[in-house]
């Protein structure tokens, strides 16, 4: 699937954008995903990883 982290499965969240007059329209929040070459099952592969997983060291870069 697109817009999903390969490590923690963080994905798109939906909700309402609320204006000053409280008119509500649907909107989405997308995770900050980066394409990274990482070690997956002993071999390097390109995966989409969120920046939180990169920063916390859950991904071993190739």
């Amino acid at each position: 699937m697109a817009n999903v982290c390969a490590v923690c499965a963080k994905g798109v969240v939906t909700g309402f954008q609320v204006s000053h007059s409280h008119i509500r329209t649907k909107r989405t929040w997308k995770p900050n995903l980066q394409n990274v070459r990482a070690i997956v099952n002993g071999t390097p592969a390109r995966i989409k990883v969120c920046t939180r997983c990169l920063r916390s060291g859950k991904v071993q870069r190739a």
Side-chain angles (χ1 to χ4, degrees), residues 36-51:
V36 170
R37 281 188 75 222
I39 303 294
V40 179
N41 297 327
T43 58
R46 283 209 173 272
I47 57 173
K48 284 188 176 180
V49 181
C50 68
T51 52

Side-chain angles (χ1 to χ4, degrees), residues 19-48:
S19 68
H20 181 67
S21 61
H22 209 71
I23 297 171
R24 292 175 298 177
T25 55
K26 291 287 254 177
R27 64 155 293 178
T28 59
W29 286 268
K30 294 179 182 177
N32 188 2
L33 296 178
Q34 306 295 321
N35 285 317
V36 170
R37 281 188 75 222
I39 303 294
V40 179
N41 297 327
T43 58
R46 283 209 173 272
I47 57 173
K48 284 188 176 180

Side-chain angles (χ1 to χ4, degrees), residues 3 10-18 24-31:
N3 289 320
K10 181 188 286 188
V12 176
V13 178
T14 60
F16 285 106
Q17 176 177 324
V18 183
R24 292 175 298 177
T25 55
K26 291 287 254 177
R27 64 155 293 178
T28 59
W29 286 268
K30 294 179 182 177

